[in-house]
Amino acid sequence: MNGADVDTGAGVGGTGVAVTAEDHGRGGSPSRGPGGGRHGAGGRGRLLAGLRRRLVKRRIRIRRTRGRRLRRALVVLLALLANLVGAAVVAYHLTKIPEPHPETAMQSTVFVDDHGDYLGRRGPVDRQEVPLSQVPRYVQEAVIAAENRSFRTDTGISPKAIARAAWATVSGGDRQGGSTITQQYVKNALLSPEQTLSRKAREALISIKLDRTRSKDEILQGYLNTVYFGRGAAGIQSAARNYFGVDAKDLTVSQGAALASVINIPSYYEKAGSDPKVTAKLVDRWEWVLDAMADSGAITSAQRAGARFPAFRFYPPGDTDGQRQYLIDAAASEAADRLGITEDQLARGGYTVRTTFDLTAQDATAELAADGTGKKTGEKTGEKTAEEKAAEAKAGGKKQAEVRTTGDVRVHTAVVALVPGDGAVRVLYGGADYASQPFNDARDGAVEAGTALQPFSGMKLLAPLTDLTRTAAPTPLRLASAYATAAAHGVYATPYTVAKITRAGRTLYEAHPRTRTAMTRADAGMVAKFLYGRSDAPLATQTGAAGLRTLWQTTYDEHLTLTVALFAEHPAKGKKAALPAPLPYTAGSRSLSVAEGVWSKIVGTAEGHDPAAEPNPGLPTGQTKPILATR
C-alpha cells in the first residue's frame, strides 16, 4: 500500500473523498485546489449535488403529504368556525331584548291653550310619544334617507359599520358612525352609550334579534319617539313643536326633511335659524336628504322642485317663567285630579292637556296690567282715611303724600274672565312673574270685598254661593263666578281650566259643564237691573271697593264675565310681614283700562257680527258662548 491510493468509497456517483498516502504523510489534511476550496471545484460540485438531492426528496415528501396537511388545517378551521357559530347562536338565544331605559320611557306633559297654541310643559324630559300613524310617510322617509337608506331591507345591522367602529376602538381612532336605525334605537333606548367592543357586540345581537322579532314600523316608531333632535327635544313630536310650533302630524315635506337633517349633529344644528353659518350647513344637508327622497320615489319631482327651506322658531327661547306658569299650575292640578293621579305622575305621563285659556287674551292682559302689577310706587294716594290722618298727625303734621313716599307700595292686579253658564276660564292673570311670586292672586288670593258684593245683599243664595255675602275676602275667581251666575240667569257653573286630555292620540278626558241653580232667575234679573241702573254703559258693570285698600270692577253679559281686582301692600322686609297699603290715585284708571282692553280682546267686536250665532250647549236656552276675536 506504500504510495498507493486508498479507496474511501469514492467512485462514480460517489460522494466520498479519495485520500492518498501522501496526504496522510502531511497529517491527513485534505488537499486544497487552486480555487482555495477544501476539495477544489470537484468537491464543491459534489456538495451542491448532495444538497439538491436532499431538497428534491423534501419536495417530494411535501407533495405526498400536502393533501393530508390541508385536510388537517381545514378540519381545525371548520372546528374553529363551528365553535364561533355555536357561540354566536348560543349568545343570540341567551340575549334578551332589554326594556327601554327609564329616562327614555319618561315623557313630558304638554299644555296648550283653547286654540291648540303651545302654552308650556311639565316633566323631566321634553318628549311625547306618538304612534307612527301620526307621523306623515314623507317624514318617515326623510329620516330613512338621512340616517339609514337600507333600513327597509337590512337585517338590523351594518357589518361594514360594525367593523369600522371596532377597528376605531382597537386602534384608538376617531369614533365611527354609520349604524343602522335599528342599532341607533338599541344604543339610545336600550343600552348604555359607552364605546366598547363588548357593548358593540351586544348591540349587534340585540339589533338582529329586534329586526327578526319586531316589524320595521315598530322599530321606526320607537326610534322616532326617542332620537334626540337638539333644543332639549327627544322624539319627533317635541322636535316638531320646538322647531316649528306644530304637531308631528302637521309637518310639511320641507320641515320633515329639515328635522331629519338635524339628527346627524343635533347639538350643532339646533342653532339653525339664528346662526347663519349653521343654517347654511343645514341647508346643504337638507338638499341632500330631499335629493335622496326624490331618487327613491318618496316624494315627487314636483314636491322636490317646490321645496323651500323652512323658517325655524327663534333659538334659544326666552324666559318661560313669566306669568304662564300660573296657568300651568292651575291646569296641572285640575288635570291630575280628573285623571286620579298625582301631579308628578301627570308630568311624566306624556299627556297633552288642552286648556280653556285664550293665550292671546292672556298675554294682552299681562301687557295691560304691567304698568302697575308687581311694581313699587311712591305715588300720592287717594283721600285720607282715619288711619292715614293719624299717621299724618304722628308724623308731625307732614302731608300724607310726603309720608307715603317714605315707604314702598306694591300694587297687585288679578284678572279673571270666564264663560257664564259654562265655567270655562279664558283668562286667569295671577301675577306678572311666577319666578318672584308663585302665589296666584286670581285663584288663591283673598282680596277684601268691601262693596263688591253689594248687589247680592239680602238675596237667598244656594250652594255653592250660600255664604258668599258673609265672605269678607273672596278670591277673584269666586267673585267672578258669582257674577257669572247672575249673567246665566241663576245657573252656577263650576269654573274649569281643562277642556280635554289626550295621550298617544286617545282622548282620556273631556270636560262637560257642571251646573246647578244657585239663585232664582228673578234674583239674577235683580242683579242685572241693579247694575244697569247705576251706569249708562251697555254692559252690566259693578265697581266696588274696600276703602282705599282694594278696588274691584266686574263687567258681564250673557257671553262673558270679567273681574279685575286691585290691591296694594307694603312688601315684607326682613322679619316684618307685608301690610295692606292704600292704592295710588291711578288705580281707578288702571282698572278701567285693563277691563276694557281685555274685554275687547276676548269678545268679538266685528261690525254686524252676532254672537248669538254660536250656540253653547252648556248655557241655558238662548245663551251663547263668547266669540273669541283671536280665533
Side-chain angles (χ1 to χ4, degrees):
M1 296 178 60
N2 186 26
D5 291 337
V6 179
D7 187 0
T8 60
V12 179
T15 59
V17 178
V19 181
T20 65
E22 184 180 2
D23 291 331
H24 283 284
R26 295 184 186 136
S29 298
S31 62
R32 296 180 179 273
R38 295 181 62 194
H39 309 295
R44 284 198 301 275
R46 287 191 292 271
L47 285 172
L48 292 174
L51 290 173
R52 281 196 295 271
R53 283 194 295 272
R54 284 195 289 270
L55 290 174
V56 169
K57 290 179 180 179
R58 181 175 295 176
R59 283 198 293 268
I60 292 171
R61 188 166 56 251
I62 289 173
R63 290 193 190 101
R64 290 173 179 173
T65 62
R66 179 184 298 170
R68 184 167 63 251
R69 285 185 290 105
L70 287 175
R71 287 193 295 272
R72 287 177 180 174
L74 184 58
V75 169
V76 172
L77 183 62
L78 290 175
L80 180 60
L81 185 60
N83 286 333
L84 290 174
V85 172
V89 170
V90 171
Y92 175 82
H93 286 290
L94 291 178
T95 298
K96 294 182 178 179
I97 298 175
E99 293 295 323
H101 295 311
E103 58 268 24
T104 60
M106 291 179 186
Q107 302 182 62
S108 62
T109 285
V110 170
F111 297 82
V112 299
D113 80 343
D114 187 50
H115 314 288
D117 293 333
Y118 182 75
L119 180 60
R121 72 174 182 88
R122 286 281 169 87
V125 294
D126 190 1
R127 189 180 79 85
Q128 280 195 306
E129 289 190 0
V130 291
L132 194 63
S133 60
Q134 290 189 18
V135 181
R137 181 74 178 195
Y138 49 76
V139 177
Q140 300 175 35
E141 294 301 327
V143 172
I144 291 172
E147 293 297 305
N148 178 197
R149 296 180 183 180
S150 65
F151 171 72
R152 300 286 185 190
T153 58
D154 63 34
T155 60
I157 64 170
S158 170
K160 289 183 180 179
I162 293 176
R164 187 169 59 247
W167 173 250
T169 301
V170 172
S171 63
D174 295 335
R175 290 173 56 185
Q176 298 293 315
S179 297
T180 65
I181 281 176
T182 306
Q183 286 176 270
Q184 290 185 56
Y185 173 61
V186 169
K187 178 178 67 175
N188 295 334
L190 309 181
L191 294 177
S192 63
E194 61 180 336
Q195 295 294 315
T196 63
L197 286 175
S198 60
R199 192 208 60 78
K200 198 70 179 176
R202 190 162 179 244
E203 173 191 303
L205 286 171
I206 294 174
S207 297
I208 294 171
K209 197 162 193 174
L210 198 67
D211 189 78
R212 290 173 63 87
T213 57
R214 308 276 176 85
S215 70
K216 290 291 188 180
D217 281 353
E218 287 179 285
I219 295 171
L220 185 59
Q221 176 176 294
Y223 176 77
L224 289 174
N225 279 321
T226 55
V227 66
Y228 184 62
F229 285 87
R231 297 195 176 189
I236 189 70
Q237 175 72 353
S238 295
R241 280 207 170 116
N242 283 9
Y243 282 90
F244 303 115
V246 300
D247 289 326
K249 62 183 177 61
D250 298 320
L251 287 168
T252 65
V253 170
S254 293
Q255 291 171 339
L259 288 182
S261 303
V262 166
I263 297 174
N264 180 242
I265 319 175
S267 61
Y268 178 77
Y269 288 130
E270 67 182 3
K271 302 178 184 66
S274 59
D275 186 318
K277 182 179 178 182
V278 174
T279 303
K281 289 194 69 173
L282 186 60
V283 169
D284 288 342
R285 184 166 175 82
W286 172 79
E287 296 270 8
W288 174 73
V289 170
L290 285 174
D291 287 343
M293 293 175 69
D295 290 342
S296 67
I299 57 175
T300 65
S301 56
Q303 287 176 306
R304 175 65 188 93
R308 298 292 180 271
F309 191 73
F312 280 31
R313 296 181 69 188
F314 179 75
Y315 184 81
D319 181 14
T320 57
D321 281 337
Q323 50 85 33
R324 292 190 183 189
Q325 291 300 326
Y326 294 113
L327 308 183
I328 296 176
D329 268 0
S333 175
E334 185 176 324
D337 182 66
R338 295 291 179 266
L339 295 175
I341 59 178
T342 66
E343 288 191 44
D344 184 62
Q345 290 172 320
L346 177 79
R348 297 168 181 267
Y351 301 94
T352 296
V353 179
R354 192 180 191 94
T355 69
T356 60
F357 304 123
D358 179 349
L359 192 52
T360 303
Q362 183 78 26
D363 290 343
T365 303
E367 292 178 6
L368 291 165
D371 290 339
T373 299
K375 290 188 177 182
K376 296 177 181 179
T377 178
E379 295 179 71
K380 184 177 178 181
T381 57
E383 184 178 338
K384 302 181 188 121
T385 63
E387 292 82 6
E388 289 174 314
K389 289 178 181 178
E392 181 179 329
K394 188 175 181 180
K398 292 182 181 180
K399 293 182 180 180
Q400 179 63 25
E402 295 175 358
V403 176
R404 294 299 308 118
T405 56
T406 62
D408 292 327
V409 175
R410 186 181 297 274
V411 178
H412 292 254
T413 303
V415 183
V416 177
L418 50 80
V419 180
D422 180 274
V425 179
R426 299 301 185 204
V427 172
L428 188 67
Y429 181 87
D433 187 4
Y434 184 90
S436 60
Q437 180 200 304
F439 184 81
N440 190 323
D441 286 329
R443 187 178 68 160
D444 305 312
V447 183
E448 194 174 359
T451 59
L453 294 173
Q454 186 178 357
F456 301 99
S457 298
M459 190 177 295
K460 184 179 180 180
L461 300 175
L462 305 177
L465 301 179
T466 306
D467 61 345
L468 178 67
T469 55
R470 297 191 299 273
T471 304
T475 66
L477 180 59
R478 190 178 187 211
L479 188 137
S481 298
Y483 278 98
T485 302
H489 310 298
V491 176
Y492 174 87
T494 302
Y496 66 95
T497 63
V498 176
K500 191 176 184 180
I501 305 174
T502 61
R503 182 168 63 177
R506 284 196 315 118
T507 299
L508 304 178
Y509 169 81
E510 193 160 9
H512 298 284
R514 293 185 293 174
T515 61
R516 61 185 301 173
T517 300
M519 67 178 67
T520 65
R521 192 178 183 90
D523 283 343
M526 290 296 294
V527 173
K529 184 177 180 181
F530 178 84
L531 299 186
Y532 280 115
R534 298 183 61 184
S535 171
D536 294 331
L539 302 170
T541 302
Q542 165 65 10
T543 301
L548 296 176
R549 297 178 297 278
T550 66
L551 180 63
W552 294 84
Q553 181 166 319
T554 298
T555 301
Y556 75 77
D557 65 6
E558 291 186 342
H559 316 299
L560 185 71
T561 296
L562 175 66
T563 293
V564 178
L566 275 72
F567 65 96
E569 66 176 9
H570 295 294
K573 290 185 178 180
K575 295 182 179 180
K576 187 177 180 181
L579 296 173
L583 287 164
Y585 277 135
T586 57
S589 60
R590 182 177 300 145
S591 174
L592 183 62
S593 173
V594 171
E596 290 181 347
V598 175
W599 185 276
S600 63
K601 194 69 178 179
I602 297 178
V603 179
T605 57
E607 185 177 354
H609 185 69
D610 181 11
E614 290 195 14
N616 185 345
L619 297 174
T621 303
Q623 284 191 244
T624 62
K625 64 181 178 180
I627 307 304
L628 302 184
T630 54
R631 286 191 185 280

